[in-house]
Amino acid sequence: MRTLEPDYDSDPGRWSSYQTPTDVHHVVGPELAGPVLDVGCGEGRLASVLRDGVAWVGLDASWSQLRANPHRPLVRADMGALPFVDGAFAEVTHLWCLYHLDDPVAAVAEARRVLRAGGRYYACSAARDSDPEILPEGYPRSTFDAEEAPGIVAEAFGEVEAERWDGRFYALETRDEIRAYCRHNFIPAERAESAELPLELTKRGVLVRAIRAPG
Ligand SMILES: C[S@@+](CC[C@H](N)C(=O)[O-])C[C@H]1O[C@@H](n2cnc3c(N)ncnc32)[C@H](O)[C@@H]1O
């Protein structure tokens, strides 16, 4: 099993090489009323789709991601030790970030700690069999794939709701777009050269929701 090495400061171009036209932020954003803690906030995609007036705090470990994030306030910290008191937030999100950790359960428990009773939690990840048209052998197993994500969140929260996706949502139209997609997703570069245009990818993954029960 691999922990995806966070390379946001050592190779900022890898992450910024591609951005999906539609993403889970567009599902989660409208559900949030705040105050929300966006853990592993990156460049601020979630904050950019929040409704007006929703109180938001972004937290990330990467200087380059924080520099690229136009939203405020921002906190530089490790998601394993959140610098907030118990029950400070109504919502906590872990979007596309828990596969960077050896022990995602500890980080989910830490997120639960800073949620108030009745507060809502969100995490997401892709499945190993996502993108079969360009990676038929599947992605290597990580510490937080869609296959295990609901069970991992359940270890900290008890009950969870798993909303899975499995479909084609957009096409990669140009060779350069496929190259950028491969770089962004750690797919061997040569796959971009042999792929047929346009490339419609089957995306598979899960959004996990949980509620902090009182106590
Ligand atoms: C794939 S990006 C996702 C960013 C954002 N959530 C989004 O959906 O666009 C993962 C983010 O997690 C951050 N990250 C990785 N390990 C972290 C850690 N231990 N503590 C805090 N942030 C971390 C990275 O710096 C990066 O910004």
Side-chain angles (χ1 to χ4, degrees):
M1 187 173 347
R2 68 173 180 168
T3 302
L4 263 159
E5 188 63 31
D7 59 357
Y8 303 89
D9 291 335
S10 58
D11 183 13
R14 196 274 307 166
W15 174 247
S16 63
S17 62
Y18 183 79
Q19 192 176 88
T20 51
T22 168
D23 209 315
V24 72
H25 313 93
H26 298 101
V27 175
V28 175
E31 296 185 18
L32 303 179
V36 53
L37 176 63
D38 182 3
V39 180
C41 62
E43 297 160 326
R45 281 197 86 179
L46 178 63
S48 67
V49 296
L50 292 179
R51 287 181 281 128
D52 285 349
V54 173
W56 172 94
V57 176
L59 179 144
D60 204 285
S62 156
W63 286 116
S64 62
Q65 289 288 289
L66 291 172
R67 265 196 302 273
N69 192 321
H71 305 281
R72 297 292 182 272
L74 292 170
V75 176
R76 183 171 180 270
D78 190 288
M79 64 174 108
L82 301 174
F84 303 102
V85 297
D86 296 1
F89 294 94
E91 290 124 359
V92 178
T93 62
H94 269 147
L95 301 185
W96 303 117
C97 57
L98 286 171
Y99 39 63
H100 288 305
L101 305 181
D102 289 335
D103 184 3
V105 178
V108 178
E110 182 63 351
R112 182 183 179 279
R113 180 186 67 76
V114 302
L115 265 179
R116 61 175 70 147
R120 288 176 297 162
Y121 173 81
Y122 299 82
C124 69
S125 198
R128 289 187 285 279
D129 63 355
S130 197
D131 300 342
E133 295 82 1
I134 196 161
L135 205 65
E137 73 274 33
Y139 285 93
R141 183 171 178 156
S142 85
T143 53
F144 194 75
D145 293 328
E147 288 83 347
E148 291 78 36
I152 290 171
V153 175
E155 284 189 48
F157 277 92
E159 236 174 275
V160 304
E161 179 198 306
E163 180 182 337
R164 296 193 185 271
W165 63 85
D166 180 350
R168 293 181 164 186
F169 303 105
Y170 53 86
L172 303 175
E173 304 283 353
T174 68
R175 185 75 50 206
D176 277 348
E177 225 182 329
I178 301 177
R179 289 182 184 123
Y181 186 88
C182 287
R183 180 167 183 215
H184 182 83
N185 290 292
F186 301 104
I187 296 168
E190 60 273 17
R191 301 286 171 95
E193 308 310 316
S194 52
E196 278 181 27
L197 286 170
L199 178 61
E200 280 196 72
L201 293 170
T202 304
K203 311 297 298 174
R204 299 185 176 118
V206 72
L207 171 63
V208 185
R209 295 180 179 84
I211 292 181
R212 180 179 177 157

